[in-house]
Amino acid sequence: MNVNPTEAERTLESIRETEDQMRKALGASGGAYQIIIWGVIMAIGYTLNQFADRLGVVLVAVPWIILSVVGNILCAVISFRMGRKFHHPMAARIGFLWVVFVLFGMIGALFVHPTDPREINLLIYLLVMLWLAVMGLWVRLPLLWISLAVTGLLMFGYFILPDYFFLWLALVGGGTMIGSGWLLLRGRG
Amino acid sequence: MPELDEIIHQPVRLRLMAALVAIKGGESADFTLLRDLLGVTDGNLGAHLRRLEDAGYIALTKKFVDRKPHTFVAATTLGRSVFHSQVAALEEIIRSAGGGKAKR
């Protein structure tokens, strides 16, 4: 089979375009939107946490509850729609893994009894990052790097910026997730 | 002159493999997604998928999603290897001719 250099270049260009299109389709298929949704929720929620002294418990807790319920519903809808375009052989296990993590987190809380709000939120966030790390190992490696990077930044905020920890969570946790989701949408994940 | 795989070196099949190889982590793509991405008809895509499956370059899985049957397609290890060899061969053709933009 003979292919001249011009044909070869056109073929490679066609391959590049198709790969880009597929990466964008992958990014837009759901995972990116879910990450952005939780990023926005965390950015808003933790910003409220930072000003809890002035706002009071109700004005912090109620928005968190509403945002979490709406977030979970949106993510469930996205997961359902995503299942139509892409299939992962471990999709069911991925879903169950989160349930298992939540269960172990609740069991751990029975024994550890964190009382400091910063500790409680950090532990929840670490659980989320652990889940993301496992997702990275199972499904898409960039998720592992994101989880490790965010965990490192969280530790920095917890030990170095204790008075502004919730604002740090909003910025680092929420901001990183929004940025990561945006990158995935652009096919860069 | 590097060898080009005759099965994979067909425009639609090559783009199909490019799309599938772009998916990592064991995921597979839905038939209709691929059809729309490649801009071909159901029958046309089906014929190309059969050819690639017979060659062992792709694997098809049928699942029910929302009570409707869906076909999901993934590149096999052999398929990925042949695709990468194909790309390397095309790049070599360009390099041998003294071309500049050889790399993807």
Side-chain angles (χ1 to χ4, degrees), chain A residues 65-134:
Chain A
I65 292 168
I66 294 170
L67 286 168
S68 297
V69 167
V70 169
N72 274 301
I73 291 170
L74 284 174
C75 287
V77 168
I78 288 168
S79 286
F80 180 70
R81 289 172 63 89
M82 184 178 173
R84 293 179 184 172
K85 286 190 188 176
F86 292 95
H87 169 69
H88 196 283
M90 293 165 75
R93 286 193 205 181
I94 289 168
F96 279 124
L97 181 69
W98 179 242
V99 174
V100 168
F101 268 47
V102 170
L103 182 66
F104 273 79
M106 287 165 67
I107 292 171
L110 287 175
F111 296 98
V112 175
H113 294 302
T115 53
D116 180 351
R118 293 181 313 133
E119 272 180 18
I120 293 169
N121 282 281
L122 180 64
L123 286 171
I124 292 170
Y125 225 111
L126 285 176
L127 207 62
V128 173
M129 288 301 112
L130 179 60
W131 179 83
L132 199 65
V134 174

Side-chain angles (χ1 to χ4, degrees), chain B residues 81-94:
Chain B
S81 170
V82 171
F83 175 77
H84 289 308
S85 298
Q86 190 80 353
V87 168
L90 290 167
E91 288 169 349
E92 184 54 39
I93 289 170
I94 295 168

Side-chain angles (χ1 to χ4, degrees), chain A residues 11 18-19 85 87-88 140, chain B residues 14-15 25 27-28 30 104:
Chain A
T11 305
T18 306
E19 286 173 334
K85 286 190 188 176
H87 169 69
H88 196 283
R140 219 166 280 175
Chain B
L14 195 54
R15 288 179 61 219
E27 278 180 295
S28 49
D30 180 55
R104 280 193 300 141

Side-chain angles (χ1 to χ4, degrees), chain B residues 21-53:
Chain B
V21 168
I23 307 171
K24 295 178 177 41
E27 278 180 295
S28 49
D30 180 55
F31 180 95
T32 53
L33 174 83
L34 292 169
R35 180 200 65 200
D36 296 340
L37 191 85
L38 298 169
V40 296
T41 62
D42 285 356
N44 194 237
L45 181 59
H48 289 303
L49 287 176
R50 265 193 302 278
R51 191 87 168 88
L52 289 171
E53 191 185 23

